[in-house]
């Protein structure tokens, strides 16, 4: 996939993610009963992040020069180490759930760097759409509280 095509796909997937964001808990993919759950938002974010990482590897992007990237990678590395050290203290189900939270954090962290690469007009559009999605979630929560 070319650089321009992958950029376009990521842009539309980000818009799609913002549209499905308010329905996050409703769109669940149970992996093992009700305890181990993958949300559809997580799948979309994983696809966006995967495209961005592959594109960065192909284009020899200077991602690691950013201080925020290094700090995020250090935090993820320490989290993986902690999970590995405690591997035998928890059941397999608990390890899977914990690792899903770690993957979720890593994938959602990538969104910051992906959106940062968008043009100024696209960043403003993403900001406005995020604000709209937050408003929808807030209103839905308020309606749940009232009724």
């Amino acid at each position: 996939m070319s650089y321009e095509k992958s950029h376009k796909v990521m842009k539309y997937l980000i818009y799609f993610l913002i549209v499905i964001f308010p329905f996050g808990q409703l769109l669940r993919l149970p992996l093992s009963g009700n305890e181990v759950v993958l949300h559809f938002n997580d799948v979309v974010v994983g696809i966006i992040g995967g495209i961005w990482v592959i594109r960065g590897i192909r284009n020899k992007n200077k991602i690691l020069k950013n201080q925020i990237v290094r700090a995020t990678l250090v935090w993820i590395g320490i989290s993986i180490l902690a999970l590995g050290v405690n591997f035998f203290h928890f059941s397999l189900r608990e390890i899977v759930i914990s690792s899903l939270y770690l993957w979720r954090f890593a994938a959602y962290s990538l969104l910051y760097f992906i959106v940062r690469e968008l043009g100024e007009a696209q960043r403003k559009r993403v900001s406005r759409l995020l604000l709209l999605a937050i408003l929808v979630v807030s209103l839905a929560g308020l309606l749940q509280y009232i009724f």
Side-chain angles (χ1 to χ4, degrees):
M1 186 180 313
S2 71
Y3 185 84
E4 293 81 20
K5 192 172 186 179
S6 65
H7 183 77
K8 195 174 199 176
V9 168
M10 285 191 319
K11 180 178 74 170
Y12 288 120
L13 282 174
I14 289 171
Y15 294 149
F16 179 66
L17 177 66
I18 293 170
V19 169
I20 66 170
F21 175 76
F23 309 104
Q25 293 295 320
L26 298 175
L27 304 170
R28 316 169 57 131
L29 306 169
L31 298 179
S32 173
N34 282 335
E35 295 174 344
V36 182
V37 175
L38 190 64
H39 298 99
F40 191 62
N41 294 355
D42 300 336
V43 173
V44 174
V45 170
I47 292 169
I48 295 168
I51 292 171
W52 186 76
V53 167
I54 291 169
R55 194 175 81 166
I57 291 170
R58 283 186 180 166
N59 296 320
K60 308 280 190 265
N61 204 344
K62 306 287 189 242
I63 298 169
L64 295 177
K65 289 189 176 187
N66 188 320
Q67 296 235 352
I68 297 173
V69 173
R70 285 190 288 199
T72 304
L73 288 176
V74 166
W75 192 90
I76 292 170
I78 291 170
S79 300
I80 290 171
L81 180 65
L83 192 60
V85 166
N86 293 303
F87 186 78
F88 295 107
H89 297 304
F90 296 109
S91 68
L92 181 61
R93 179 185 59 79
E94 293 169 327
I95 293 293
V96 169
I97 292 171
S98 299
S99 63
L100 280 176
Y101 279 113
L102 184 57
W103 279 104
R104 189 172 287 139
F105 173 79
Y108 279 90
S109 295
L110 283 177
L111 281 179
Y112 166 77
F113 305 108
I114 294 167
V115 171
R116 198 178 75 177
E117 284 185 4
L118 296 176
E120 184 66 30
Q122 290 172 342
R123 280 197 302 265
K124 284 184 180 182
R125 188 176 304 134
V126 167
S127 296
R128 284 190 218 116
L129 288 172
L130 273 175
L131 189 60
L132 181 63
I134 291 169
L135 182 66
V136 168
V137 170
S138 300
L139 288 176
L142 187 62
L143 289 173
Q144 281 181 338
Y145 178 73
I146 292 171
F147 301 108

